[in-house]
């Protein structure tokens, strides 16, 4: 359980990025949305202690982030940054994925086992000896997820995991997210892509100007006046709402409704 | 992150042509190098503060802020001179003077940067026949310092999230650990530079040998007056030092 209580964050220079956020999540898929500069990343960086609260507190599985280092918290909350290349430095995919577990001080055998497991999870078996920078965009994103996954965190923060990927690569990333959720991981999805929200999330948290505007089920979220927050409904919902078939999550569901 | 020192004011220094200010700064540096006696260097330091305040409207408080990072050097200089010179109090005094001379150098450089925009400064260099490409290189370098700084912070965050801790271990371990930040930073910088070169070329960079400028600078009457005054002051200083033998002491 991640608990955020009355969280304020004021950056050096006085910018109030978060103004009193209350939020908690378990092993569910939560979409964190909001316009640029609304505080999404600032909030997410509090969950693994990269940022410490100015006021209020963040408790991760009973650990107060103020009292624990990022390295300790990284065993519980994994954070996959938006640009995968910003973390690649090893000569091989294997070395890259092994970096996290090695930092945790695990034995060689354990590290190797975790690397194999993580690479299998993201369908990158057989890539061990490739250079991270030689991979395609989608593969890089999956490798980034594997790098964090190998630390076996219970929660994962994914920052724009499908942005800039072609449909096939995006679909494989979505599959990975779904399977991780099935296995009991809690996933916080930071995104601007409303299609992704519709397809994956059960719950949506909307931030605006450092405040939480909305926190609830995805169908309720899409009935909000989203244009006020610089967002919009996915095409599928706009069609579905305008012909009166109501909230649907997928095209299949929509066609099913129409057929009835 | 401080990278642009410029402060907007309505002052004499701000309104002068950058070439005059460059000449003034160079003369001030020469004058400082002429003298080595504490009796001259210490007053010169305070005179510089006063001049930067009256001519540039940069308050002593603002001057203090930019000079603060140099204070350790001042202290080291005083301590070292007190140790190596006999008697020690005379050494300490020389240390104070030499340390303050360093601060004065800093003050001159900072006052130039605080009263001149980057654009003006580079225009000044170009008008002094520096090739335009060098000016552009300088502008880009200055422009990218904060960008790369932000990128480095971001990369550090990404690696911290993988259990990376720079604070742990001895110096060799730490240096090895830095590769986790330096490699992505280097690759991202090279990529940025490459993209920037494509962007520049796609905007016809280098299509004309002689570049024209939208904003330009011109020497006016007061600029020539200031330049003349700088020359006179430099001349007086040279005469005092070599004609009268003033302000120079034999240390050993």
């Amino acid at each position: 359980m991640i608990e955020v209580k009355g969280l304020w964050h004021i950056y050096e220079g006085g910018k109030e990025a978060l103004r009193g956020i209350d939020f908690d999540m378990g092993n569910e898929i939560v979409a964190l949305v909001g316009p640029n500069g609304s505080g999404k990343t600032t909030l997410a960086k509090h969950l693994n202690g990269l940022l410490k609260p100015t006021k209020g507190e963040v408790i991760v599985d009973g650990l107060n982030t103020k009292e624990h280092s990022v390295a300790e918290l990284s065993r519980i909350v994994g954070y996959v940054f938006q640009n995968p290349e910003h973390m690649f430095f090893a000569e091989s995919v294997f070395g890259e994925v092994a970096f996290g577990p090695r930092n945790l001080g695990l034995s060689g055998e354990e590290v190797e086992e975790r690397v194999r497991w993580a690479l299998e999870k993201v369908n990158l078996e057989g890539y061990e000896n490739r250079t991270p920078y030689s991979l395609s965009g989608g593969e890089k994103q999956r490798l980034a997820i594997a790098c964090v996954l190998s630390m076996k965190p219970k929660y994962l923060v994914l920052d724009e995991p499908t942005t800039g990927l072609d449909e096939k690569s995006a679909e494989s990333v979505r599959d990975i997210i779904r399977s991780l959720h099935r296995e009991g991981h809690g996933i916080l999805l930071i995104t601007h892509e409303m299609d992704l929200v519709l397809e994956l999330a059960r719950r949506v948290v909307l931030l605006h100007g450092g405040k939480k505007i909305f926190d609830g089920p995805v169908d309720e979220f899409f009935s909000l006046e989203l244009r006020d927050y610089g967002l919009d409904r996915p095409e599928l919902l706009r069609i579905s709402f305008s012909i009166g078939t109501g909230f649907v999550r997928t095209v299949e569901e929509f066609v099913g409704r129409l057929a009835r | 992150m401080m990278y642009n020192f410029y402060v907007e004011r309505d002052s004499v220094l701000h309104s002068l042509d950058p070439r005059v200010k460059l000449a003034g700064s160079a003369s001030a540096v020469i004058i400082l190098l002429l003298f080595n006696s504490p009796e001259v260097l210490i007053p010169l330091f305070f005179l510089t503060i006063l001049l930067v305040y009256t001519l540039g409207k940069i308050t002593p408080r603002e001057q203090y802020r930019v000079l603060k990072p140099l204070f350790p050097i001042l202290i080291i200089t005083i301590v070292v001179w007190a140790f190596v010179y006999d008697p020690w109090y005379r050494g300490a005094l020389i240390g104070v003077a030499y340390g303050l001379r360093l601060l004065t150098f800093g003050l001159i450089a900072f006052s130039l940067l605080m009263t001149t925009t980057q654009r003006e400064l580079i225009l000044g260099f170009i008008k002094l026949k520096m090739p335009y490409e060098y000016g552009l290189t300088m502008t880009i370098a200055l422009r990218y310092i904060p960008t790369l700084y932000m990128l480095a912070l971001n990369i550090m965050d990404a690696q911290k999230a993988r259990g990376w801790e720079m604070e742990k271990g001895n110096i060799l371990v730490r240096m090895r650990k830095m590769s986790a930040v330096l490699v992505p930073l280097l690759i991202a910088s090279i990529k940025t530079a490459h993209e920037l070169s494509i962007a520049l070329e796609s905007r016809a960079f280098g299509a004309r040998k002689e570049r024209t400028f939208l904003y330009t600078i011109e020497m006016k009457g007061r600029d020539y007056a200031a330049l003349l005054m700088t020359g006179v002051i430099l001349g007086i200083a040279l005469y005092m030092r070599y004609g009268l033998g003033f302000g120079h002491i034999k240390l050993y």
Side-chain angles (χ1 to χ4, degrees):
Chain A
M1 187 79 159
I2 296 177
E3 296 159 274
V4 176
K5 295 174 197 159
L7 175 62
W8 280 72
H9 192 86
I10 302 168
Y11 282 107
E12 258 176 75
K15 187 181 183 296
E16 294 181 351
L18 295 176
R19 301 188 288 167
I21 303 278
D22 290 294
F23 162 77
D24 47 49
M25 70 173 279
N27 46 2
E28 52 191 325
I29 301 184
V30 180
L32 182 60
V33 301
N36 294 331
S38 58
K40 302 186 294 289
T41 307
T42 308
L43 173 59
K45 282 187 174 175
H46 277 85
L47 304 186
N48 68 346
L50 280 172
L51 292 174
K52 306 290 182 191
T54 309
K55 217 160 57 180
E57 55 185 19
V58 179
I59 313 283
V60 177
D61 279 355
L63 303 179
N64 190 326
T65 59
K66 272 188 183 172
E67 290 150 16
H68 296 270
S69 69
V70 183
E72 288 172 85
L73 293 164
S74 65
R75 298 159 182 262
I76 308 169
V77 182
Y79 195 127
V80 183
F81 277 69
Q82 186 172 357
N83 189 339
E85 292 193 358
H86 287 174
M87 60 156 80
F88 297 160
F89 71 101
E91 284 165 41
S92 67
V93 166
F94 183 92
E96 199 61 65
V97 182
F99 180 67
R102 279 186 189 140
N103 284 335
L104 297 181
L106 300 172
S107 70
E109 264 170 60
E110 177 94 351
V111 169
E112 194 160 336
E113 192 187 312
R114 283 200 180 192
V115 174
R116 306 255 173 260
W117 172 82
L119 286 177
E120 191 201 307
K121 276 272 165 284
V122 299
N123 301 320
L124 285 177
E125 305 110 314
Y127 282 67
E128 284 85 350
N129 296 322
R130 292 274 297 275
T131 306
Y133 282 95
S134 71
L135 304 183
S136 76
E139 289 165 348
K140 277 181 190 152
Q141 187 63 51
R142 273 145 58 201
L143 175 58
I145 295 175
C147 286
V148 171
L149 209 55
S150 62
M151 314 196 46
K152 299 221 169 171
K154 190 166 163 198
Y155 307 96
L156 273 173
V157 178
L158 303 174
D159 195 347
E160 300 277 1
T162 57
T163 304
L165 299 187
D166 60 44
E167 182 46 35
K168 191 166 155 255
S169 305
E171 180 56 32
S172 73
V173 170
R174 288 198 291 268
D175 281 340
I176 291 165
I177 295 172
R178 273 191 283 259
S179 88
L180 289 173
H181 173 237
R182 269 198 305 278
E183 284 159 24
H185 291 280
I187 289 166
L188 185 70
L189 208 59
I190 306 175
T191 187
H192 286 293
E193 284 178 51
M194 290 300 124
D195 291 302
L196 189 70
V197 174
L198 182 64
E199 223 184 305
L200 288 179
R202 297 275 163 229
R203 184 179 149 205
V204 184
V205 172
L206 169 63
L207 293 188
H208 190 261
K211 284 192 169 153
K212 191 167 85 171
I213 302 287
F214 174 86
D215 184 350
V218 66
D219 51 329
E220 256 178 62
F221 168 72
F222 281 116
S223 61
L224 296 175
E225 208 38 76
L226 291 181
R227 280 176 183 267
D228 296 352
Y229 308 107
L231 305 168
D232 206 354
R233 290 182 190 127
E235 292 293 313
L236 176 63
L237 277 188
R238 276 164 59 184
I239 297 168
S240 183
F241 280 167
S242 58
I243 65 168
T245 43
F247 178 79
V248 289
R249 289 180 75 98
T250 59
V251 175
E252 288 74 25
E253 203 178 324
F254 174 62
V255 174
R257 290 263 179 92
L258 278 181
R260 251 189 285 137
Chain B
M1 179 63 186
M2 277 215 306
Y3 62 99
N4 193 354
F5 294 95
Y6 183 71
V7 278
E8 185 78 54
R9 293 285 148 80
D10 180 22
S11 84
V12 180
L13 281 185
H14 282 75
S15 65
L16 280 178
D17 189 285
R19 283 165 285 184
V20 177
K21 281 187 271 189
L22 283 169
S25 303
S27 313
V29 170
I30 293 169
I31 292 171
L32 274 170
L33 289 171
L34 286 177
F35 304 105
N36 75 345
S37 84
E39 291 75 15
V40 179
L41 289 177
I42 295 170
L44 270 182
F45 173 69
F46 291 102
L47 181 68
T48 311
I49 293 178
L50 190 69
L51 282 177
V52 172
Y53 177 54
T54 50
L55 296 178
K57 290 195 181 158
I58 308 287
T59 62
R61 203 193 170 81
E62 287 165 316
Q63 298 181 33
Y64 168 76
R65 208 166 50 88
V66 293
L67 283 185
K68 219 167 105 185
L70 298 176
F71 284 2
I73 302 177
L74 174 67
I75 292 163
I76 292 166
T77 315
I78 297 171
V79 172
V80 170
W81 271 99
F83 263 104
V84 300
Y85 203 76
D86 193 51
W88 69 268
Y89 50 85
R90 181 70 186 159
L93 183 66
I94 294 170
V96 169
Y98 277 32
L100 286 182
R101 174 150 79 175
L102 282 175
L103 290 195
T104 318
F105 286 142
L107 200 54
I108 291 163
F110 283 125
S111 64
L112 180 67
L113 294 174
M114 289 170 96
T115 59
T116 320
T117 60
Q118 283 175 13
R119 194 181 67 199
E120 271 187 326
L121 196 61
I122 286 155
L123 258 167
F125 278 121
I126 292 166
K127 294 277 173 180
L128 291 170
K129 296 292 171 231
M130 183 182 73
Y132 173 68
E133 287 78 3
Y134 294 179
L136 185 76
T137 311
M138 269 168 61
T139 324
I140 290 173
L142 289 169
R143 152 73 183 75
Y144 272 91
I145 291 170
T147 309
L148 290 180
Y149 178 71
M150 292 305 291
L151 183 65
L153 288 184
N154 198 25
I155 290 169
M156 279 170 135
D157 274 355
Q159 303 303 37
K160 276 186 199 160
R162 295 162 78 192
W164 176 85
E165 284 176 298
M166 192 178 53
E167 296 82 6
K168 274 193 182 163
N170 62 36
I171 187 120
L172 279 171
V173 175
R174 282 189 200 192
M175 273 164 71
R176 253 193 54 190
K177 280 183 171 180
M178 275 316 283
S179 70
V181 172
L182 291 179
V183 172
L185 184 63
L186 207 67
I187 292 175
S189 313
I190 293 169
K191 281 194 169 177
T192 311
H194 181 63
E195 280 163 19
L196 188 69
S197 72
I198 294 173
L200 278 173
E201 276 175 30
S202 66
R203 288 163 75 181
F205 177 73
R208 257 177 88 125
K209 240 189 156 60
E210 277 295 304
R211 192 179 181 279
T212 56
F213 291 90
L214 180 58
Y215 303 99
T216 191
I217 46 173
E218 219 175 316
M219 295 279 282
K220 294 189 202 77
R222 60 187 304 182
D223 293 313
Y224 287 111
L227 197 58
L228 186 70
M229 237 157 77
T230 309
V232 169
I233 294 170
L234 182 62
I236 294 173
L238 282 167
Y239 176 69
M240 277 166 73
R241 167 69 181 80
Y242 292 108
L244 306 173
F246 172 82
H248 189 81
I249 50 166
K250 252 188 120 74
L251 286 172
Y252 290 105

